[in-house]
Amino acid sequence: METNNSDGTINVINEGSGDVNVYPAIVPELSKKLSPSFNELNGLISKKVPVNDISIYDSQDENKIIQVNQDTSKYFVKQTSIQDEIQIVSGVIYKVDATKFTGNINIKDGNELIRPGRYKFSFIDKDEPTVDDIKDILMTETRFKCLAKTKLDPSNLKEDVVEIKIVKIENSKAA
């Protein structure tokens, strides 16, 4: 199968052996639009489907290649990690499970990484705050030292904060 865009510059070729090739190399500006397709392509690589290798390269320079196979497909998986740098933010805890020390927080004054908005939260040290400490800060704007738990989507290099890990309550009776 061969598909051309309006100038005839992009060809997608399935050679029948399970290998799919795209010529020429993908333009970086298109990466955001194409990332869902790459994720779908990556999903084709499995032991259950007869596709075992997808290669995308520039026909002028075979060193410019994107290849997805059993070994490289792990690089397309979204990865979650806790950032190392302590962040200082202000927000309101509006929902809490006092037995697990988790809940939801509305960040009002954030920073470049943790922007204003609603997030899940948990305390790093579950022995640090007491139930009374949690009661004191519930529904009150409070400053927190925290770490951001982020999820990186490697297909478009977008990093989103998925949870806030509170290290310390800064300005309240509980601090």
Side-chain angles (χ1 to χ4, degrees):
M1 170 179 55
E2 186 171 314
T3 306
N4 295 321
N5 68 2
S6 61
D7 346 78
T9 57
I10 296 178
N11 297 311
V12 178
I13 300 171
N14 181 342
E15 315 247 339
S17 63
D19 292 346
V20 177
N21 296 302
V22 176
Y23 309 95
I26 300 301
V27 180
E29 294 84 30
L30 295 176
S31 66
K32 285 187 180 179
K33 291 181 182 177
L34 294 174
S35 66
S37 299
F38 280 106
N39 284 331
E40 271 185 54
L41 288 174
N42 185 54
L44 294 176
I45 306 296
S46 72
K47 294 177 182 163
K48 297 176 187 172
V49 180
V51 178
N52 53 20
D53 187 88
I54 299 171
S55 299
I56 302 170
Y57 62 94
D58 185 338
S59 60
Q60 305 298 316
D61 182 359
E62 289 192 18
N63 291 325
K64 293 181 182 176
I65 186 168
I66 297 173
Q67 186 172 30
V68 181
N69 56 34
Q70 292 277 335
D71 295 329
T72 61
S73 67
K74 64 185 174 210
Y75 299 122
F76 288 88
V77 175
K78 294 178 182 178
Q79 298 177 7
T80 303
S81 63
I82 297 176
Q83 301 298 313
D84 293 336
E85 190 175 327
I86 296 280
Q87 308 289 318
I88 298 175
V89 297
S90 293
V92 176
I93 292 177
Y94 63 92
K95 183 178 178 184
V96 67
D97 179 334
T99 58
K100 295 179 183 174
F101 294 98
T102 61
N104 294 24
I105 186 169
N106 185 12
I107 298 299
K108 297 194 177 257
D109 184 20
N111 56 38
E112 201 171 295
L113 179 61
I114 303 174
R115 299 183 193 274
R118 293 180 176 216
Y119 300 92
K120 291 181 180 180
F121 81 87
S122 63
F123 282 89
I124 293 277
D125 183 359
K126 301 208 185 309
D127 294 331
E128 180 69 27
T130 65
V131 173
D132 288 334
D133 293 338
I134 300 296
K135 285 181 188 175
D136 288 342
I137 63 171
L138 188 62
M139 301 304 291
T140 305
E141 188 166 347
T142 307
R143 256 171 82 103
F144 300 96
K145 282 188 177 179
C146 58
L147 298 171
K149 183 176 180 180
T150 59
K151 183 176 268 187
L152 175 67
D153 184 345
S155 63
N156 60 14
L157 297 179
K158 185 177 177 191
E159 186 172 45
D160 292 321
V161 175
V162 293
E163 185 179 349
I164 293 174
K165 300 285 198 174
I166 298 174
V167 176
K168 184 174 185 196
I169 302 166
E170 280 286 290
N171 69 335
S172 76
K173 292 185 262 178

